[in-house]
Amino acid sequence: MAGSYASRAAMAHVFVYGTLKRGQPNHKVLLDGTHGCAAFQGQGRTLEPYPLVIAGEHNVPWLLNLPGRGHCVAGEIYAVDERMLRFLDEFEDCPHMYQRTSVRVAVLQAGGAPWGSPGPPAAEPTLQCFVYSAATYPPEWVGLPHHHSYDSLGSHGLRYNPRENR
């Protein structure tokens, strides 16, 4: 039962910042129930800055696991079940391409409504979330432009090449 306490207790929070976000090329995998359950929880941003870069021949967004560098990165928070988490590990080629790590995320909006009272970031609730980040990458990626958020059709001009076109 999707709404039962037992299933909610088994859910993990995942923070997505790139092609898995709503309106982005890979979001459809979060909607596919054959992979498990993913429920949108709201908008968020990392509490610590990280370099979010667009790199490689397919213009893939990468969150480099260099806390304290870059920007606080905007994204979306999902509650996922174990099946979806295993699917995402495979989809993100974890641990070879990305590593699933844990980050603290400020919750900016729950669903479509602002969460908490306006004020400094300390007033915002936070969640511990899994994120798919890169610990190994070409050293020159650190020098690429760091982004606050990602949109595959953004002003950066680096169009993402979807997997089905490769």
Side-chain angles (χ1 to χ4, degrees):
M1 299 185 139
S4 74
Y5 175 77
S7 65
R8 287 184 194 193
M11 303 291 265
H13 289 106
V14 175
F15 178 73
V16 300
Y17 55 84
T19 64
L20 289 171
K21 294 188 310 184
R22 293 177 298 171
Q24 298 303 309
N26 291 323
H27 180 67
K28 61 189 172 282
V29 304
L30 290 176
L31 303 176
D32 186 341
T34 63
H35 303 312
C37 177
F40 177 74
Q41 301 295 291
Q43 303 288 333
R45 74 161 183 272
T46 59
L47 280 184
E48 281 192 88
Y50 288 88
L52 172 59
V53 301
I54 302 168
E57 67 177 306
H58 302 294
N59 294 321
V60 173
W62 298 84
L63 189 74
L64 305 184
N65 195 356
L66 291 171
R69 299 180 67 173
H71 304 288
C72 293
V73 174
E76 297 175 348
I77 302 163
Y78 287 84
V80 302
D81 64 7
E82 183 63 32
R83 189 165 155 205
M84 179 62 79
L85 196 59
R86 284 192 312 270
F87 169 80
L88 289 173
D89 282 351
E90 183 179 316
F91 184 80
E92 299 290 10
D93 195 14
C94 179
H96 307 291
M97 192 161 107
Y98 290 96
Q99 292 76 45
R100 178 166 33 110
T101 57
S102 184
V103 297
R104 201 93 190 133
V105 174
V107 179
L108 305 178
Q109 288 189 332
W115 185 318
S117 58
E124 295 164 347
T126 63
L127 283 174
Q128 199 69 31
C129 297
F130 288 124
V131 67
Y132 291 91
S133 63
T136 57
Y137 43 83
E140 60 271 17
W141 285 12
V142 176
L144 293 173
H146 298 172
H147 301 274
H148 289 89
S149 65
Y150 175 80
D151 185 328
S152 62
L153 300 175
S155 61
H156 49 72
L158 302 168
R159 299 296 176 253
Y160 174 73
N161 184 22
R163 291 170 185 224
E164 57 269 16
N165 295 344
R166 299 179 197 169

